[in-house]
Amino acid sequence: MGDVLAGFHAAWEFESDSVLIRFERGIRTPKLFQALGERRVPYEAIAAVTLSPGKRGTVVLHAVPRPGADPLMEAAAGQLKEGCDPYRLVLPAERETLAEYYADELRAQLRPDGEPADRYLVAAPEAPLQFKAYDGKASFDGKQVSFRWFWTGASSAKWKAGDQSFAVSDLTGIEWRSPELFEGHLRLLHRDAAAAQPGQADQDPAAVVFGLGYGPVHESLPFAASVLAAVRTSGPALIPGGVVATTATVIRRDPADIADRIRHLGELHQAGLLTDEEFTAKKTELLAEL
């Protein structure tokens, strides 16, 4: 193959074993497409190809990904709007015949079984990644996820727990609920099934909540996909005897930030949300980070 089919916001280049999707960076291009830049999708990652009428004199070429082949689509779990689906190429209706030709060419490359993939075939967005949620800042360096709470948005439960860091080897997956839906959030799922997590994301130290412009799709979804891919390709590091090896990282905080946190703890203490013991313990913990 090797030809290029250009549509609105994207162009598909058909290669011998994959289709390279390059997204435009124009002002009207969905922000998720701009954030992704380009994606290489092996033909074995595609389950089906459809061509259907679109809106306002267009046709839509849609490559349906195999379940389990793309961490981005697995993290999205069907929550993306049609206009933000990276597997849809919208073209003018007068190019329908050409689109049908490429649809047939793609179909000829597909696996006949259509079974779910046993591994990710499409690369996830690369770390490091970060974004601001309503109640904290989420960061991912490829090996661990960190949540740093904002005193203006985090619940008292999260302040009590303190800033969080999670090694990917201690996780089983993620739960992403779009910020465009009610109660949007990103939750990390623990490998230890015995560790019950609070039902509400705003009370769970392993979750950040969206809303009010925080955690937009083009930032939080690539983040979630990158974490999910790392989790699926990583396991707990074992030492002799089968004990999970862990490492502790000491992070030095800005003194002004520590002072703000201690003031906020004092407010929680005066409001009766923290006991004397909890306030003292957390204050000692914060001071130790200086």
Side-chain angles (χ1 to χ4, degrees):
M1 301 171 77
D3 297 335
V4 175
L5 182 61
F8 298 110
H9 309 313
W12 290 14
E13 181 176 350
F14 301 93
E15 302 180 344
S16 60
D17 60 352
S18 61
V19 55
L20 177 62
I21 303 176
R22 291 192 174 96
F23 299 104
E24 295 179 354
R25 297 189 178 277
I27 190 171
R28 296 185 178 181
T29 302
K31 290 184 178 181
L32 177 60
F33 293 177
Q34 297 183 48
L36 294 175
E38 68 177 37
R39 312 194 79 213
R40 184 177 299 278
V41 181
Y43 295 132
E44 62 176 325
I46 301 173
V49 179
T50 65
L51 182 66
S52 59
K55 299 178 181 178
R56 295 185 292 276
T58 62
V59 293
V60 179
L61 179 62
H62 186 201
V64 182
R66 286 174 63 192
D70 186 346
L72 186 85
M73 302 308 288
E74 187 169 350
Q79 299 174 74
L80 283 179
K81 295 180 178 179
E82 282 190 349
C84 289
D85 185 341
Y87 286 85
R88 296 173 78 253
L89 181 65
V90 181
L91 305 120
E94 57 266 24
R95 307 193 73 185
E96 181 176 3
T97 301
L98 183 61
E100 184 63 55
Y101 166 78
Y102 284 110
D104 288 340
E105 291 290 305
L106 273 176
R107 293 187 187 107
Q109 302 287 335
L110 304 186
R111 294 166 54 100
D113 54 35
E115 292 294 321
D118 58 3
R119 60 187 175 85
Y120 289 136
L121 302 171
V122 183
E126 295 184 357
L129 295 167
Q130 63 181 24
F131 70 91
K132 288 184 179 180
Y134 175 71
D135 56 356
K137 180 180 179 180
S139 304
F140 179 51
D141 63 5
K143 295 183 178 180
Q144 73 174 16
V145 183
S146 300
F147 294 156
R148 180 180 178 184
W149 308 123
F150 296 151
W151 69 270
T152 53
S155 65
S156 59
K158 292 183 177 180
W159 274 101
K160 287 181 182 180
D163 292 346
Q164 302 289 301
S165 291
F166 304 86
V168 294
S169 58
D170 293 333
L171 304 174
T172 59
I174 58 93
E175 176 184 276
W176 181 79
R177 183 168 176 82
S178 173
E180 298 173 345
L181 302 175
F182 181 64
E183 294 185 344
H185 63 264
L186 170 67
R187 189 195 305 267
L188 306 177
L189 305 179
H190 296 291
R191 184 173 296 278
D192 182 5
Q197 295 185 239
Q200 296 296 322
D202 64 343
Q203 300 298 313
D204 187 353
V208 290
V209 298
F210 306 147
L212 302 177
Y214 293 94
V217 171
H218 69 280
E219 294 180 357
S220 61
L221 180 56
F223 184 102
S226 184
V227 174
L228 183 58
V231 169
R232 295 295 170 85
T233 57
S234 174
L238 298 179
I239 60 176
V243 180
V244 177
T246 60
T247 58
T249 303
V250 178
I251 302 176
R252 297 299 179 184
R253 301 296 189 190
D254 182 354
D257 180 58
I258 295 296
D260 286 340
R261 290 166 182 260
I262 291 176
R263 278 195 294 270
H264 184 67
L265 285 174
E267 294 172 358
L268 295 176
H269 182 226
Q270 290 179 358
L273 298 175
L274 290 176
T275 65
D276 293 341
E277 293 77 14
E278 289 173 334
F279 172 73
T280 301
K282 188 59 183 176
K283 179 179 178 181
T284 300
E285 179 184 331
L286 288 171
L287 289 173
E289 294 182 11
L290 291 172

